[in-house]
Structures are given as structure tokens and as C-alpha cells.
Amino acid sequence: MDLKQLIDTDRLPKHIAIIMDGNGRWAKQHGQARVFGHRNGVKAVRETTEAAAELGIKYLTLYAFSTENWGRPKFEVDALMTLLVDTLHKEISTLNKNNIRLEAIGDLSKLPSSTYRALLEGIANTSTNTRMTLVLALNYSAKWEILEATRQMAALVKDGKMNLEDINETTFANALSTRGIPDPELLIRTSGENRLSNFLLWQLAYAEFYFTPTMWPDFHKEQFFQAIIDFQNRERRFGKISEQVV
């Protein structure tokens, strides 16, 4: 059965976030170095991005590299950064062909200069695309993001440019790196891990979570469609009771 046909396109989540996990373990299962898993994970990124665009998803955020990932072996980190640069150079034409805009969140200035330049070039070269926005979370930490937003607002209050009474959920959200982007309605995490790992802690407050044992390199369109079908079969109450939602 074609799972895509089971999806109600009138009830799609506007924003899906994915924690792409399991590349290293997938490589180990295949008797290869961890970098082999990361390279094969790029194929899953391409297929999932194209599937999201085909359905009409407006925002897709991928957790590509966390601040904690700097603690991995230097060889793996260097290989990841090189792979990111190569992938950006190769995939920009595909993004443009599919009318997909590239954005990024995180402490981007701390990335290696070659990675940072490639990222900025990709963002600039796709800036006029309108079909879907692909957001890469790079050198990202939700705790860092929340602290940065707090510092920004504290500075505004200190300088007399904002009153304490002006601080609310809306103004705080606008100080986050995801300002202008709707909160994810669905979070997908692969490889069987059941945690958020410091990812979009504010934005995921009312998201539906979908955990799958599938390793990221084996995550294809059908698995993506299954996650959306599962999402559409849930009742989202936002603190209310079922009768109120109906």
C-alpha cells in the first residue's frame, strides 16, 4: 500500500522537526567507520526533504550538529564539517530545483570558516525560494538559545527600550533564533532513542513526538509518511478535554 495516499493533505503539520540519530551505530552494524554512516545519512536528508516538499510541508528543521557534538573525536568532527561543506555545494541546485529555501539556526559564527561560508552561500542562493523552508540546526543548543534570548531582553530592559511588563510568550519567542517560524507540530527521532537532547526545548512544548527504532540512514519516504499518518491519528488537546476539541 502507498502510505502517501493515506495522508490527509488538509491536516498536514506546517512544521516538522527531526533529530537525525543512528548514523554511527548504523555504520558499526555494517562493519564501517562512523563517517560511513554520516555519508549515507545525507541520502536520507535528501529523500526526506523532497518528500516533505512533495506533501506541502512548509518548514522542515533537521538537527544536524549540536554544541555537545564538539566533544566527539576530532577526526569525526572534522569529517562531519567537510561532509557538510561538500553536501551544501552539491545540493544547492537540488534545493533550487525544488523551490526550497535554506535557513540555519544555532551559534553559527563558531563553525569552521569554510563551513560557515558554504552555509551563508547556500542561504543566499536559495533566499527567493518559496515552496518550503529547510532549517539546519548547526552548533545548536536549546539552552544556549534560551539564555541568549534572555540576555537580549534583559539588555533591552536595562537600556530602557523594553518594560518588564512587555515580556510575554510572544516577545520571548521573537527573541529566539526561530522567530518568524511556527513551532513544530511533530518531532521525529530515529534510532530508538527517546529524548530531546537539548533540541528546541521552548518550541516543542506542544509538539507530538514520534520515536522510531529505524536508524537515520534507513529512514526513507515511507517511514516519513508513516510518522505523519501516526500524527494525524492523534488527538491534540492542548490542555483541554476531548469534548472541547471536538
Side-chain angles (χ1 to χ4, degrees), residues 115-133:
T115 306
Y116 187 53
R117 285 196 303 271
L119 182 62
L120 292 184
E121 288 173 8
I123 291 172
N125 290 337
T126 62
S127 61
T128 59
N129 294 338
T130 58
R131 185 183 187 186
M132 187 181 81
T133 298

PDB file of all heavy atoms in Angstrom, residues 115-133:
ATOM      1  N   THR A 115      32.981  25.997   6.532  1.00  0.00           N
ATOM      2  CA  THR A 115      31.602  25.557   6.727  1.00  0.00           C
ATOM      3  C   THR A 115      30.663  26.751   6.803  1.00  0.00           C
ATOM      4  O   THR A 115      29.583  26.754   6.195  1.00  0.00           O
ATOM      5  CB  THR A 115      31.486  24.731   8.023  1.00  0.00           C
ATOM      6  OG1 THR A 115      32.430  23.672   8.005  1.00  0.00           O
ATOM      7  CG2 THR A 115      30.087  24.166   8.183  1.00  0.00           C
ATOM      8  N   TYR A 116      31.085  27.768   7.531  1.00  0.00           N
ATOM      9  CA  TYR A 116      30.269  28.975   7.693  1.00  0.00           C
ATOM     10  C   TYR A 116      30.043  29.662   6.343  1.00  0.00           C
ATOM     11  O   TYR A 116      28.922  30.064   6.017  1.00  0.00           O
ATOM     12  CB  TYR A 116      30.973  29.917   8.669  1.00  0.00           C
ATOM     13  CG  TYR A 116      30.176  31.144   9.066  1.00  0.00           C
ATOM     14  CD1 TYR A 116      28.887  31.027   9.562  1.00  0.00           C
ATOM     15  CD2 TYR A 116      30.725  32.420   8.946  1.00  0.00           C
ATOM     16  CE1 TYR A 116      28.156  32.142   9.934  1.00  0.00           C
ATOM     17  CE2 TYR A 116      30.005  33.550   9.315  1.00  0.00           C
ATOM     18  CZ  TYR A 116      28.726  33.401   9.804  1.00  0.00           C
ATOM     19  OH  TYR A 116      28.011  34.512  10.174  1.00  0.00           O
ATOM     20  N   ARG A 117      31.097  29.763   5.532  1.00  0.00           N
ATOM     21  CA  ARG A 117      30.967  30.402   4.214  1.00  0.00           C
ATOM     22  C   ARG A 117      30.027  29.610   3.314  1.00  0.00           C
ATOM     23  O   ARG A 117      29.171  30.180   2.631  1.00  0.00           O
ATOM     24  CB  ARG A 117      32.335  30.532   3.551  1.00  0.00           C
ATOM     25  CG  ARG A 117      33.234  31.629   4.130  1.00  0.00           C
ATOM     26  CD  ARG A 117      34.382  31.944   3.188  1.00  0.00           C
ATOM     27  NE  ARG A 117      35.183  30.759   2.878  1.00  0.00           N
ATOM     28  CZ  ARG A 117      36.222  30.355   3.597  1.00  0.00           C
ATOM     29  NH1 ARG A 117      36.588  31.035   4.674  1.00  0.00           N
ATOM     30  NH2 ARG A 117      36.900  29.268   3.252  1.00  0.00           N
ATOM     31  N   ALA A 118      30.188  28.285   3.296  1.00  0.00           N
ATOM     32  CA  ALA A 118      29.328  27.454   2.456  1.00  0.00           C
ATOM     33  C   ALA A 118      27.872  27.567   2.879  1.00  0.00           C
ATOM     34  O   ALA A 118      26.964  27.605   2.035  1.00  0.00           O
ATOM     35  CB  ALA A 118      29.785  25.993   2.532  1.00  0.00           C
ATOM     36  N   LEU A 119      27.657  27.662   4.174  1.00  0.00           N
ATOM     37  CA  LEU A 119      26.293  27.791   4.694  1.00  0.00           C
ATOM     38  C   LEU A 119      25.680  29.122   4.272  1.00  0.00           C
ATOM     39  O   LEU A 119      24.538  29.167   3.784  1.00  0.00           O
ATOM     40  CB  LEU A 119      26.321  27.675   6.211  1.00  0.00           C
ATOM     41  CG  LEU A 119      24.975  27.737   6.930  1.00  0.00           C
ATOM     42  CD1 LEU A 119      24.086  26.580   6.516  1.00  0.00           C
ATOM     43  CD2 LEU A 119      25.187  27.725   8.450  1.00  0.00           C
ATOM     44  N   LEU A 120      26.424  30.208   4.438  1.00  0.00           N
ATOM     45  CA  LEU A 120      25.912  31.526   4.054  1.00  0.00           C
ATOM     46  C   LEU A 120      25.646  31.603   2.557  1.00  0.00           C
ATOM     47  O   LEU A 120      24.662  32.227   2.117  1.00  0.00           O
ATOM     48  CB  LEU A 120      26.909  32.618   4.471  1.00  0.00           C
ATOM     49  CG  LEU A 120      27.081  32.834   5.983  1.00  0.00           C
ATOM     50  CD1 LEU A 120      28.022  34.006   6.237  1.00  0.00           C
ATOM     51  CD2 LEU A 120      25.740  33.070   6.664  1.00  0.00           C
ATOM     52  N   GLU A 121      26.511  30.975   1.762  1.00  0.00           N
ATOM     53  CA  GLU A 121      26.301  30.956   0.308  1.00  0.00           C
ATOM     54  C   GLU A 121      25.013  30.208  -0.035  1.00  0.00           C
ATOM     55  O   GLU A 121      24.232  30.647  -0.886  1.00  0.00           O
ATOM     56  CB  GLU A 121      27.493  30.289  -0.378  1.00  0.00           C
ATOM     57  CG  GLU A 121      28.766  31.125  -0.380  1.00  0.00           C
ATOM     58  CD  GLU A 121      29.949  30.351  -0.925  1.00  0.00           C
ATOM     59  OE1 GLU A 121      29.739  29.225  -1.445  1.00  0.00           O
ATOM     60  OE2 GLU A 121      31.089  30.866  -0.836  1.00  0.00           O
ATOM     61  N   GLY A 122      24.800  29.079   0.631  1.00  0.00           N
ATOM     62  CA  GLY A 122      23.589  28.306   0.382  1.00  0.00           C
ATOM     63  C   GLY A 122      22.336  29.071   0.763  1.00  0.00           C
ATOM     64  O   GLY A 122      21.327  29.043   0.046  1.00  0.00           O
ATOM     65  N   ILE A 123      22.389  29.771   1.889  1.00  0.00           N
ATOM     66  CA  ILE A 123      21.250  30.570   2.335  1.00  0.00           C
ATOM     67  C   ILE A 123      20.961  31.690   1.340  1.00  0.00           C
ATOM     68  O   ILE A 123      19.805  31.936   0.972  1.00  0.00           O
ATOM     69  CB  ILE A 123      21.525  31.139   3.744  1.00  0.00           C
ATOM     70  CG1 ILE A 123      21.517  30.001   4.775  1.00  0.00           C
ATOM     71  CG2 ILE A 123      20.489  32.201   4.119  1.00  0.00           C
ATOM     72  CD1 ILE A 123      21.961  30.417   6.162  1.00  0.00           C
ATOM     73  N   ALA A 124      22.012  32.354   0.879  1.00  0.00           N
ATOM     74  CA  ALA A 124      21.845  33.460  -0.064  1.00  0.00           C
ATOM     75  C   ALA A 124      21.327  32.970  -1.420  1.00  0.00           C
ATOM     76  O   ALA A 124      20.440  33.590  -2.022  1.00  0.00           O
ATOM     77  CB  ALA A 124      23.175  34.191  -0.252  1.00  0.00           C
ATOM     78  N   ASN A 125      21.846  31.833  -1.877  1.00  0.00           N
ATOM     79  CA  ASN A 125      21.480  31.328  -3.198  1.00  0.00           C
ATOM     80  C   ASN A 125      20.073  30.749  -3.271  1.00  0.00           C
ATOM     81  O   ASN A 125      19.553  30.515  -4.370  1.00  0.00           O
ATOM     82  CB  ASN A 125      22.488  30.264  -3.649  1.00  0.00           C
ATOM     83  CG  ASN A 125      23.846  30.847  -3.968  1.00  0.00           C
ATOM     84  OD1 ASN A 125      23.967  32.032  -4.272  1.00  0.00           O
ATOM     85  ND2 ASN A 125      24.884  30.032  -3.911  1.00  0.00           N
ATOM     86  N   THR A 126      19.452  30.497  -2.112  1.00  0.00           N
ATOM     87  CA  THR A 126      18.091  29.936  -2.108  1.00  0.00           C
ATOM     88  C   THR A 126      17.074  30.894  -1.474  1.00  0.00           C
ATOM     89  O   THR A 126      15.930  30.499  -1.241  1.00  0.00           O
ATOM     90  CB  THR A 126      18.069  28.599  -1.328  1.00  0.00           C
ATOM     91  OG1 THR A 126      18.455  28.848   0.041  1.00  0.00           O
ATOM     92  CG2 THR A 126      19.027  27.584  -1.944  1.00  0.00           C
ATOM     93  N   SER A 127      17.487  32.107  -1.215  1.00  0.00           N
ATOM     94  CA  SER A 127      16.679  33.035  -0.411  1.00  0.00           C
ATOM     95  C   SER A 127      15.332  33.398  -1.034  1.00  0.00           C
ATOM     96  O   SER A 127      14.416  33.804  -0.326  1.00  0.00           O
ATOM     97  CB  SER A 127      17.466  34.311  -0.129  1.00  0.00           C
ATOM     98  OG  SER A 127      17.800  34.964  -1.341  1.00  0.00           O
ATOM     99  N   THR A 128      15.196  33.276  -2.355  1.00  0.00           N
ATOM    100  CA  THR A 128      13.938  33.667  -3.003  1.00  0.00           C
ATOM    101  C   THR A 128      12.979  32.489  -3.198  1.00  0.00           C
ATOM    102  O   THR A 128      11.881  32.673  -3.718  1.00  0.00           O
ATOM    103  CB  THR A 128      14.216  34.321  -4.369  1.00  0.00           C
ATOM    104  OG1 THR A 128      14.925  33.390  -5.213  1.00  0.00           O
ATOM    105  CG2 THR A 128      15.058  35.584  -4.210  1.00  0.00           C
ATOM    106  N   ASN A 129      13.378  31.302  -2.780  1.00  0.00           N
ATOM    107  CA  ASN A 129      12.514  30.127  -2.947  1.00  0.00           C
ATOM    108  C   ASN A 129      11.369  30.159  -1.940  1.00  0.00           C
ATOM    109  O   ASN A 129      11.529  30.654  -0.821  1.00  0.00           O
ATOM    110  CB  ASN A 129      13.334  28.841  -2.787  1.00  0.00           C
ATOM    111  CG  ASN A 129      14.363  28.675  -3.895  1.00  0.00           C
ATOM    112  OD1 ASN A 129      14.229  29.248  -4.979  1.00  0.00           O
ATOM    113  ND2 ASN A 129      15.398  27.897  -3.633  1.00  0.00           N
ATOM    114  N   THR A 130      10.221  29.609  -2.330  1.00  0.00           N
ATOM    115  CA  THR A 130       9.003  29.798  -1.534  1.00  0.00           C
ATOM    116  C   THR A 130       8.224  28.517  -1.226  1.00  0.00           C
ATOM    117  O   THR A 130       7.259  28.555  -0.467  1.00  0.00           O
ATOM    118  CB  THR A 130       8.052  30.760  -2.270  1.00  0.00           C
ATOM    119  OG1 THR A 130       7.753  30.219  -3.573  1.00  0.00           O
ATOM    120  CG2 THR A 130       8.676  32.135  -2.432  1.00  0.00           C
ATOM    121  N   ARG A 131       8.606  27.394  -1.793  1.00  0.00           N
ATOM    122  CA  ARG A 131       7.809  26.170  -1.610  1.00  0.00           C
ATOM    123  C   ARG A 131       7.904  25.632  -0.193  1.00  0.00           C
ATOM    124  O   ARG A 131       6.899  25.245   0.419  1.00  0.00           O
ATOM    125  CB  ARG A 131       8.274  25.112  -2.607  1.00  0.00           C
ATOM    126  CG  ARG A 131       7.441  23.830  -2.599  1.00  0.00           C
ATOM    127  CD  ARG A 131       8.030  22.836  -3.573  1.00  0.00           C
ATOM    128  NE  ARG A 131       7.210  21.655  -3.749  1.00  0.00           N
ATOM    129  CZ  ARG A 131       7.570  20.600  -4.472  1.00  0.00           C
ATOM    130  NH1 ARG A 131       8.748  20.603  -5.091  1.00  0.00           N
ATOM    131  NH2 ARG A 131       6.782  19.556  -4.575  1.00  0.00           N
ATOM    132  N   MET A 132       9.130  25.579   0.341  1.00  0.00           N
ATOM    133  CA  MET A 132       9.364  25.062   1.677  1.00  0.00           C
ATOM    134  C   MET A 132      10.647  25.664   2.221  1.00  0.00           C
ATOM    135  O   MET A 132      11.532  26.057   1.459  1.00  0.00           O
ATOM    136  CB  MET A 132       9.480  23.528   1.663  1.00  0.00           C
ATOM    137  CG  MET A 132       9.546  22.895   3.054  1.00  0.00           C
ATOM    138  SD  MET A 132       9.715  21.082   3.002  1.00  0.00           S
ATOM    139  CE  MET A 132      11.477  20.921   2.692  1.00  0.00           C
ATOM    140  N   THR A 133      10.746  25.750   3.554  1.00  0.00           N
ATOM    141  CA  THR A 133      11.973  26.221   4.198  1.00  0.00           C
ATOM    142  C   THR A 133      12.616  25.055   4.931  1.00  0.00           C
ATOM    143  O   THR A 133      11.996  24.426   5.784  1.00  0.00           O
ATOM    144  CB  THR A 133      11.686  27.359   5.188  1.00  0.00           C
ATOM    145  OG1 THR A 133      11.126  28.474   4.478  1.00  0.00           O
ATOM    146  CG2 THR A 133      12.971  27.809   5.871  1.00  0.00           C
TER     147      THR A 133
END
